Amino acid sequence: MVHRMASPSVVVADEPGMKTLHFYLLRQVLAALLLTVAVFTFVLLLGNVLREVLTLLVNHQASLGVVAKAIALLVPFVMVFALPMALLTATLLVFGRFSADQELTAVRASGISLLALITPILLLSVVLSGVSGAFNLKFGPECRVAYKRLLTQLGTEHPTALLSANQFIKDFPPYIIFVGSVEGDTLHNLLAYEMGTNGTDTVLRPVRIIQAAEATVSVNPSNQQVSLFFPEMDVVQADKMQPGTLADYTLDLNQRPTQRTVEAVPLTDMSFGQLMTQYYDCLRLGLNPTPVMVQMHREIAFSFACIGFTLVGIPLGIRAHRRETSAGIGLALLLVLAYYGFVVLGQAWETYPRRMPHLILWAPNFLFQGVGAWLLWRANKR
């Protein structure tokens, strides 16, 4: 026996009806997903395109073909962020309309549970998590590096960018320097390891560790001497392990080589394989591997965002009970901001290993998946 609902698009029967219903719902989510992926990709591309790519075209530094190549290289990088956000928005929109049009009531009246209804959507989220993982672990970072290399070839990078963020800089021996972030000439969350040997041991190890919340970089134009000025810094001698504090201290670095023998890639732009190599290099040299671990865990944890966003988006879309697209997008943006708050916190603490910043990156996944499962359980019981 076939039951026809109030909506002419929903036909519920036993086995054939379930397949029809699953196909209908999956088609609605995929259609909304394609639209929202396009919208979020365009929005995320817009900032880079207006700031960097279109400037090349206006200043006649690049042809239209080179600009198109630069935009194409940016797409896999922004897909890392666009895909989870688009899936969250799509589930909110589809299930909001599904509930507002009383289609969900009709389905439940026919004896179909909510969990049986959303099975293909949950499977879709698992598949998209795999796709997101490919973008996070490999394609996104590689395309980002290729994009930056293209800009470098066109001469758009600032020539005085001596100390870049999120990478171990080995251009100033005997120091290995890590910078958390850069604002103009100001460096934040800086770690500097002075490398040396201990007695007859010829293996380089840290003999002095410098940590500072802030430092200012300057370059002497006459001899290209690079200096770091520290308003305050903590210094630890490796042999004594007794920390001390210095104020208003200037550290002079060796002159920067005219050309790097190996292209330096920031940790945030490294693929997972490169991060693994960097992690073992840190262990071999006795460096703190926490910044590398933060990026490794970020790439893996963010790959599972599609599952958590789907688990939360379905019951919230049902509860919102609205057809308006603006309401769904607004709610999606609030959830995304909450999720990224943990990511920003974890990366801000990457130079503080005692705070376990790499584990903080998993908190939004557990939170969204736990809350989403609980909301689904409640919605299924109604």
Side-chain angles (χ1 to χ4, degrees), residues 298-354:
R298 181 190 65 83
E299 290 186 357
I300 299 175
F302 198 56
S303 301
F304 292 94
C306 289
I307 298 177
F309 283 170
T310 302
L311 289 173
V312 169
I314 292 174
L316 287 183
I318 294 173
R319 291 173 64 91
H321 203 77
R322 303 189 58 140
R323 300 182 183 88
E324 292 88 348
T325 302
S326 58
I329 293 179
L331 183 57
L333 291 177
L334 289 176
L335 292 173
V336 168
L337 287 175
Y339 188 98
Y340 274 107
F342 288 94
V343 177
V344 172
L345 179 62
Q347 291 186 316
W349 285 353
E350 61 185 0
T351 55
Y352 299 91
R354 292 184 179 180

Side-chain angles (χ1 to χ4, degrees), residues 289-302 339 341-350 352-367:
T290 303
V292 184
M293 293 171 62
V294 168
Q295 298 304 322
M296 293 170 64
H297 282 264
R298 181 190 65 83
E299 290 186 357
I300 299 175
F302 198 56
Y339 188 98
F342 288 94
V343 177
V344 172
L345 179 62
Q347 291 186 316
W349 285 353
E350 61 185 0
Y352 299 91
R354 292 184 179 180
R355 300 177 184 179
M356 308 295 283
H358 57 287
L359 298 182
I360 294 176
L361 299 173
W362 288 94
N365 279 335
F366 293 128
L367 179 63

Side-chain angles (χ1 to χ4, degrees), residues 91-125:
T91 53
L92 287 169
L93 293 176
V94 170
F95 283 92
R97 291 197 302 264
F98 201 71
S99 178
D101 292 339
Q102 302 301 318
E103 292 177 309
L104 181 60
T105 303
V107 169
R108 284 178 165 177
S110 65
I112 298 176
S113 68
L114 177 61
L115 294 181
L117 175 68
I118 65 173
T119 299
I121 310 304
L122 296 179
L123 293 177
L124 175 65
S125 71

Side-chain angles (χ1 to χ4, degrees), residues 144-330:
R144 180 66 173 173
V145 171
Y147 168 77
K148 287 186 175 181
R149 189 181 299 122
L150 179 62
L151 294 186
T152 303
Q153 293 172 354
L154 295 173
T156 59
E157 285 195 344
H158 200 280
T160 59
L162 302 176
L163 295 166
S164 302
N166 284 296
Q167 60 179 281
F168 286 96
I169 302 163
K170 303 176 183 178
D171 295 331
F172 304 97
Y175 295 97
I176 297 178
I177 302 172
F178 179 85
V179 180
S181 61
V182 180
E183 293 182 5
D185 294 332
T186 303
L187 313 177
H188 299 282
N189 294 332
L190 183 142
L191 283 172
Y193 301 88
E194 183 178 353
M195 309 300 290
T197 57
N198 185 9
T200 58
D201 189 2
T202 58
V203 179
L204 290 176
R205 299 288 183 184
V207 296
R208 187 171 66 147
I209 302 173
I210 298 172
Q211 183 173 9
E214 184 177 298
T216 303
V217 59
S218 60
V219 181
N220 189 323
S222 60
N223 58 7
Q224 295 298 304
Q225 175 70 54
V226 181
S227 301
L228 297 177
F229 174 74
F230 298 88
E232 184 176 354
M233 69 178 188
D234 297 325
V235 182
V236 178
Q237 300 291 339
D239 55 345
K240 299 178 181 179
M241 295 306 294
Q242 294 180 351
T245 301
L246 295 177
D248 297 331
Y249 184 84
T250 300
L251 178 66
D252 294 325
L253 303 176
N254 291 335
Q255 182 176 342
R256 185 176 186 241
T258 56
Q259 185 175 5
R260 294 182 177 182
T261 56
V262 179
E263 181 183 8
V265 178
L267 294 180
T268 51
D269 293 340
M270 285 186 179
S271 65
F272 190 77
Q274 292 173 317
L275 288 172
M276 286 290 293
T277 302
Q278 187 73 54
Y279 174 76
Y280 288 115
D281 284 345
C282 289
L283 295 182
R284 178 175 55 84
L285 295 172
L287 308 181
N288 176 19
T290 303
V292 184
M293 293 171 62
V294 168
Q295 298 304 322
M296 293 170 64
H297 282 264
R298 181 190 65 83
E299 290 186 357
I300 299 175
F302 198 56
S303 301
F304 292 94
C306 289
I307 298 177
F309 283 170
T310 302
L311 289 173
V312 169
I314 292 174
L316 287 183
I318 294 173
R319 291 173 64 91
H321 203 77
R322 303 189 58 140
R323 300 182 183 88
E324 292 88 348
T325 302
S326 58
I329 293 179

